[in-house]
Amino acid sequence: MSLIRGGVAAVCALMIGAAAANAEELVSYEIVDGTIPASLTGQPGDPAAGRKVLFDRKLGNCLACHMVSDLEDQPFHGEVGPPLDGVADRWDEATLRMLIVNAKQVYDGTIMPSFYKNSGFVRIATQFEGKPILTAQQVEDVVAYLMTLKD
């Protein structure tokens, strides 16, 4: 019984730690023609780190809605959103960055969450208020990974 309580406590501590890790002031960015042309960090993203964010169910969780052949080692790809195979052939880096930051700026009514926003949410858990889902660097990492997905 104490092992179960200890495990639950560890999971709760991990979740709180993950939320705290994402607590940051949002970096200001300029939207140009519906895109974000400049990096949020001024540094290139790391495609390997972005790949991990993409399938991490506590961060990007992109596989909940999208299929990605490159991630066939991960279970449960979704079919709600379009497949991400060849995404770098369909959109440029600036558009992909905008889609990750706030897809609602590109597609009104989309169910895709805004990953780099800290206000305007509905029915959000208290521990996540005022925090983006991803950090600026994680956004850049995801964009870098998506830019590797070409047909």
Side-chain angles (χ1 to χ4, degrees):
M1 182 77 153
S2 64
L3 180 60
I4 293 172
R5 280 192 207 136
V8 170
V11 168
C12 288
L14 181 63
M15 289 174 67
I16 290 168
N22 285 338
E24 69 170 34
E25 287 296 318
L26 295 183
V27 174
S28 63
Y29 53 86
E30 182 180 8
I31 298 175
V32 177
D33 296 326
T35 71
I36 303 174
S39 167
L40 298 178
T41 63
Q43 301 175 24
D46 175 359
R51 183 180 192 274
K52 290 177 185 172
V53 169
L54 201 96
F55 67 77
D56 187 319
R57 301 213 188 283
K58 293 181 183 173
L59 291 174
N61 196 20
C62 303
L63 294 183
C65 295
H66 300 278
M67 190 280 301
V68 184
S69 295
D70 183 55
L71 296 171
E72 67 186 0
D73 59 319
Q74 299 298 316
F76 311 118
H77 293 233
E79 297 177 353
V80 174
L84 295 181
D85 294 347
V87 73
D89 294 324
R90 296 190 297 274
W91 291 299
D92 61 16
E93 184 176 319
T95 303
L96 288 172
R97 186 175 293 109
M98 183 78 249
L99 288 168
I100 302 303
V101 166
N102 189 352
K104 289 159 182 54
Q105 295 287 322
V106 179
Y107 298 111
D108 187 38
T110 183
I111 62 169
M112 185 168 162
S114 301
F115 288 95
Y116 195 69
K117 165 179 162 173
N118 63 1
S119 64
F121 297 110
V122 178
R123 296 177 46 193
I124 187 167
T126 305
Q127 72 265 29
F128 299 114
E129 287 178 4
K131 299 176 179 110
I133 297 171
L134 300 178
T135 65
Q137 188 58 54
Q138 288 168 329
V139 169
E140 293 305 319
D141 294 344
V142 169
V143 170
Y145 173 68
L146 292 175
M147 289 303 296
T148 69
L149 299 179
K150 297 183 179 197
D151 284 330

